[in-house]
Amino acid sequence: MPYALDHDFALAWLRATAAAVEQQHQRLTELDAAIGDGDHGTNLRRGFAAVLAVVDALPADTPPGELLSKAGSTLISKVGGASGPLYGSALRTAGRALPAPTADLTALAEGLRAGLTAVQKLGGATVGDKTMVDAFEPAVAALERAAFDGFSLREATALAAEAAEAGARATVPLEARKGRASYLGPRSVGHQDPGATSTALLFRALAEAAPR
Amino acid sequence: MKKLINTPETVLDDTLAGIAAAHPELTVDRAARVIHRAGAPRPGKVALISGGGSGHEPLHAGFVGPGMLDAACPGEVFTSPVPDQMLAAVRATDGGAGVVFVVKNYTGDVLNFELAAELAAEEGIEVRTVLVDDDVAVKDSTWTAGRRGTGATVVVEKVAGALAERGAGAREVASIGERANAASRSFAVALTAATVPAAGKPGFDLPADEIEVGVGIHGEPGRRREKLRPAHELVAEVVETVLAEHTLTPGDQVIALVNGLGGTPLHELYLVYGEVAARLAERGIAIARNLVGNYVTSLDMAGFSLTLTKADPELLELWDAPVATPALHWS
């Protein structure tokens, strides 16, 4: 099956995410310092460094779902804070929902929808609360639409990345209702949410990793 | 940034090494990142476990010992610990009578302790959780993360620890912790921001003559910013803010905690305590017990928090029970 999520694609996605986090960790931390406690970049950087060490050691025939669920478990074990359980559960749940040995676009969208549901169940956030869900939900919706419309994996993931980035930008005028930023009330307005920003990095990495 | 550290990445490990060296009466598992009482587990005793980000010392490791916590799980600076740590703490201290977690109400702490409780349950260990949410700077609403947990954590851990020491069951231990939390309200004022080692600079910029009012304990800005005023005016407002969310009436007794946020000298904290005592006396509220000092800090942040716990004979008796920990000890 062409353009499917296989081991190489999943590994490339995790590597691209780790590289983006490495490159952007200071920006994430600065966004977090404005409305949180200033450790989002530091924490994700520590987590994805651990993820790379784990997934690089897995055999080459490891199904993509297992790669993602191992990555998720590693994030839960290494990150702490809110982002550890939230990102960890997202990837672990998505990974467990993916068929082996490969997943087509529809299955990938379903897996990520399951991951998003896990995030929402844990954190209780919906779109508009100024959290990672503001980027995650439109990205998954874009993937689902693209799968329905018959787009390629590459086109679909590019649309998802754009939707996530637009969702992250749209958090700027919002007042936070979840997480530590919610303690600031109206003072959280005017800042982009760090969690939505890192989620946009995750989906941009997915688009970059998608095979041509 | 001027700090006594080696590298920002090794702050927690290096701190644990120091705690281990300073307190041979505690067992510091540096690999699992758990500090527990030596000789654990104690058969038949409910294990009281707490934890949270580092940078709040002496919370929580400083409250491990007879009469208080059985174990503490320190996370990275201002970051909650991970579930693996809590599970390791449960395994190290569960004496078969169940475990009670004391968790401050922050999204990250709540999520990680929840995951840990699920993992413990899979191993057949009963875990109850006491959520501390005493900070009146934050509205208690289902539309937000709810009030933060701050200074009342000390009171909750002290009274729940005392009851656990007497052999009470997990339900009773959790119940007294919940009651102490419900009887407590706190509010904090910051004179300077905290500097997280990994960030390398203060969490927010504060002009020399301004303060942040209604801060938490993670270096985040507070509810609003205003000009610094003489202590008697500032403390009067803090007392009024706490009392506005309390049900205290003349004749009531309180446990009062004037807590330093890490960068404020004790002389200023005593000055503040004097103002607090005077304001409460005007209201006819008696301070039955007090603590003045650094108990729940926010790294190097200057400022203080005030916690008032409405006292009753049972809470006072548990408060007075012997305790022998690095940061709290009386007999």
Side-chain angles (χ1 to χ4, degrees), chain A residues 37 39 77 81 177 183-184 187, chain B residues 79-80 112 143-144 212 222:
Chain A
D37 57 351
D39 62 4
S77 293
R177 289 197 293 249
Y183 303 136
L184 300 186
R187 290 179 79 180
Chain B
T79 301
S80 73
N112 284 282
W143 293 100
T144 69
E212 282 278 343

Side-chain angles (χ1 to χ4, degrees), chain B residues 1 150 152 165-166 187 205 257 263 307:
Chain B
M1 177 180 67
T150 57
E165 210 66 50
R166 293 178 182 177
F187 193 74
D205 294 318
L257 166 62
T307 301

Side-chain angles (χ1 to χ4, degrees), chain A residues 89-114:
Chain A
S89 296
L91 288 182
R92 193 166 66 171
T93 307
R96 284 180 179 170
L98 289 174
T102 66
D104 64 9
L105 180 53
T106 303
L108 175 62
E110 282 171 4
L112 288 173
R113 172 64 68 184

Side-chain angles (χ1 to χ4, degrees), chain B residues 208-326:
Chain B
D209 61 339
E210 293 186 4
I211 59 172
E212 282 278 343
V213 178
V215 293
I217 52 171
H218 294 97
E220 65 270 58
R223 294 291 283 177
R224 64 175 192 279
R225 183 168 288 190
E226 58 182 52
K227 293 285 181 199
L228 177 62
R229 292 174 286 155
H232 69 270
E233 281 181 35
L234 194 59
V235 174
E237 189 192 326
V238 168
V239 169
E240 291 311 310
T241 305
V242 172
L243 289 180
E245 300 286 329
H246 240 308
T247 54
L248 293 166
T249 52
D252 279 344
Q253 290 191 316
V254 295
I255 299 169
L257 166 62
V258 170
N259 169 60
L261 296 178
T264 291
L266 207 48
H267 97 80
E268 290 177 35
L269 295 180
Y270 275 116
L271 191 156
V272 166
Y273 181 80
E275 298 289 343
V276 168
R279 296 291 85 74
L280 290 178
E282 285 170 9
R283 299 286 209 110
I285 295 162
I287 299 179
R289 305 289 185 276
N290 70 67
L291 279 182
V292 181
N294 292 295
Y295 293 97
V296 183
T297 59
S298 186
L299 287 172
D300 50 356
M301 178 178 265
F304 76 96
S305 64
L306 172 67
T307 301
L308 296 180
T309 303
K310 183 176 176 175
D312 59 41
E314 188 186 14
L315 287 178
L316 285 179
E317 194 199 335
L318 291 169
W319 179 262
D320 290 341
V323 59
T325 69

Side-chain angles (χ1 to χ4, degrees), chain A residues 34-35 128-130 169-177 181-193:
Chain A
I35 56 172
D129 285 346
K130 200 177 180 101
R169 284 194 299 275
T171 61
V172 173
L174 298 177
E175 181 173 331
R177 289 197 293 249
S182 71
Y183 303 136
L184 300 186
R187 290 179 79 180
S188 64
V189 170
H191 301 278
Q192 184 163 320
D193 181 64

